[in-house]
Amino acid sequence: MVRYGMTIPFDGVPLAEQRDWWEELAELGYTDLWSSEANGTDGFTPLALASAWVPSMRLGVAIVPAFTRGPGLLAMSVAAMAEAAPGRFVFGIGTSSNVIVESWNDIPFDKPYQRTRDMVRFLKAALEGAKVDAEYETLRVKGFRLGRQIPAEHVPPILVAGLRPGMLRLAGREGDGAIINWLSAEDVKKVVPEVGPGKEIVARIFVCPSEDADTVRAMGRFAIAAYLNVPVYAAFHDWLGRGPALKPMWDAWQAGDRKAATASIPDEVVDALIVHGSPAACREHIQRYVDNGVTTTALALLPFGVDARQASRDLAPRA
């Protein structure tokens, strides 16, 4: 089964007023709601609301950074969501980036691969009810045990956000699947084999159902520049083979000329990374992600002159 999800919460709508939006998503045939955690809401609060408001939907977070919570607190947060939405919660963890971890949270972004691996190992033990007394490479836990136990059938899958081969292989080896982000449908063909067979692949796909290509491309360049100049994403796209197309942007950004950097992003890069066009064209483009190995789509609406409520209706899965 291919799952069809939407990223929540919607921009520009107070969190307390989103219930009927999410209920409509369920009526439209969306199967999942996926939160995120950067500089908006935290990853858990929208899902806690959704656990009560839309009890038919699966809930996931993509992603929680491995650095920004201590291991005990993170285990409690994951366990609480698993208890609130039994059998319906999926936990996503990843390195995040130096911007979020260091610049915004004042935490050293050291050994991100090892930190994520160690958190996954700790969480798997803690969520299964073990008393964890262990020294990992990047963290030490002394005598922690969850005070509220999760039934085995409700222990949530742990998905690992991956960009390049090391993290993608970690997702397949020690996690239940991978979360991928900011890539084209064609890129999926290169990414999925690194995870391995039989694993869930969640893709956050940025979508704007608008036929005003000039507006989408102009605004899309700002979104792309904000992400693809972050070192982990720059390395990812260089590995994908997009280095020559993005080198002018990277050079101008490093030189401090952000206007020139943004302007230098080619149309074909925007068209590859942001799904846009008519609703029918968008659905066809999203299907290419699925055809190439994505098992769960987590659409992220970009507010480039479109009404988000109507966009969610236009993009709804078709029987």
Side-chain angles (χ1 to χ4, degrees), residues 22-39:
W22 302 353
E23 288 175 336
E24 185 179 27
L25 293 178
E27 294 168 359
L28 289 167
Y30 291 89
T31 62
D32 292 27
L33 297 176
W34 287 84
S35 65
S36 61
E37 188 169 289
N39 63 346

Side-chain angles (χ1 to χ4, degrees), residues 235-261:
F236 175 46
H237 281 270
D238 190 45
W239 173 67
L240 289 172
R242 209 164 273 120
L246 293 175
K247 188 175 187 301
M249 177 190 74
W250 291 330
D251 288 346
W253 194 272
Q254 287 296 317
D257 192 342
R258 297 195 172 190
K259 183 176 181 180

Side-chain angles (χ1 to χ4, degrees), residues 71 75 121-132 144-146 149-150:
R121 291 176 176 176
F122 162 74
L123 287 170
K124 289 174 75 172
L127 295 172
E128 290 172 358
K131 181 178 181 181
V132 183
F144 177 84
R145 189 196 299 271
L146 281 169
Q149 295 304 302
I150 308 170

Side-chain angles (χ1 to χ4, degrees), residues 93-317:
I93 188 170
T95 65
S96 188
S97 70
N98 63 308
V99 173
I100 291 173
V101 175
E102 285 189 335
S103 299
W104 297 353
N105 285 286
D106 195 27
I107 299 169
F109 192 61
D110 294 337
K111 296 184 176 180
Y113 171 90
Q114 292 87 344
R115 175 74 176 194
T116 303
R117 177 202 63 202
D118 294 348
M119 274 293 202
V120 170
R121 291 176 176 176
F122 162 74
L123 287 170
K124 289 174 75 172
L127 295 172
E128 290 172 358
K131 181 178 181 181
V132 183
D133 199 333
E135 187 164 347
Y136 303 91
E137 183 176 350
T138 63
L139 56 92
R140 184 179 182 185
V141 181
K142 298 180 67 176
F144 177 84
R145 189 196 299 271
L146 281 169
R148 298 170 68 91
Q149 295 304 302
I150 308 170
E153 65 271 22
H154 295 159
V155 172
I158 296 177
L159 306 183
V160 177
L163 296 177
R164 288 179 291 162
M167 290 298 295
L168 293 167
R169 292 169 189 165
L170 175 68
R173 185 175 64 251
E174 302 207 26
D176 297 291
I179 296 168
I180 56 180
N181 187 32
W182 276 116
L183 79 173
S184 73
E186 286 300 305
D187 295 334
V188 173
K189 295 178 182 178
K190 183 169 184 176
V191 166
V192 168
E194 300 289 348
V195 182
K199 298 289 184 174
E200 181 168 9
I201 305 293
V202 179
R204 175 158 279 124
I205 302 171
F206 295 92
V207 187
C208 182
S210 168
E211 297 183 73
D212 184 354
D214 289 342
T215 296
V216 173
R217 288 169 178 159
M219 300 182 76
R221 286 186 174 89
F222 286 98
I224 289 169
Y227 268 88
L228 269 54
N229 281 290
V230 174
V232 292
Y233 280 98
F236 175 46
H237 281 270
D238 190 45
W239 173 67
L240 289 172
R242 209 164 273 120
L246 293 175
K247 188 175 187 301
M249 177 190 74
W250 291 330
D251 288 346
W253 194 272
Q254 287 296 317
D257 192 342
R258 297 195 172 190
K259 183 176 181 180
T262 302
S264 71
I265 301 170
D267 285 350
E268 56 266 27
V269 170
V270 180
D271 295 346
L273 301 182
I274 296 176
V275 175
H276 63 98
S278 69
C282 288
R283 286 195 298 272
E284 290 175 4
H285 194 161
I286 292 164
Q287 183 61 43
R288 293 201 292 276
Y289 282 85
V290 174
D291 293 342
N292 291 338
V294 168
T295 64
T296 300
T297 63
L299 307 186
L301 296 178
L302 294 174
F304 298 163
V306 299
D307 177 81
R309 190 78 178 264
Q310 187 58 47
S312 68
R313 294 165 179 160
D314 292 338
L315 296 170

